[in-house]
Amino acid sequence: MPGRATGRGARIARDRATRAANPYGYAGLVLSLIAFIVNLLAIPSLLGIVFGAIGLVRAGQLVGERVTGFGVSLAAVILGLVSGALFFVRLAEVFG
């Protein structure tokens, strides 16, 4: 059939479409990684948790799709929680 992608091209197009449908998990992971590496303020870790949670909800809505972004969203939430905890531990060491 002309106009319809098959094989590897179809898989790549389907994966890109699904990732485009759930960008919140990826944004949350980037923010959580920035917070974990730099760790100057708690704001990136809080935003990473929020975007990761939105990505988890969105992944629940994309259950039938091939790539939902669930793992990336879950990693964003976990890394955001860890980096937030490290921030507050360091803050307590400085002011405690």
Side-chain angles (χ1 to χ4, degrees), residues 3-80:
R4 186 171 182 196
T6 58
R8 183 171 185 256
R11 284 194 314 266
I12 291 172
R14 214 173 26 242
D15 289 347
R16 284 184 183 159
T18 307
R19 286 187 187 113
N22 189 8
Y24 300 106
Y26 296 99
L29 185 62
V30 168
L31 287 167
S32 295
L33 281 171
I34 289 171
F36 188 75
I37 293 170
V38 178
N39 207 9
L40 294 177
L41 297 172
I43 294 171
S45 64
L46 293 175
L47 288 174
I49 293 168
V50 169
F51 279 114
I54 293 171
L56 284 173
V57 171
R58 184 73 182 134
Q61 295 171 350
L62 298 172
V63 169
E65 300 292 325
R66 184 167 189 268
V67 178
T68 60
F70 179 80
V72 175
S73 301
L74 185 62
V77 171
I78 292 171
L79 192 59

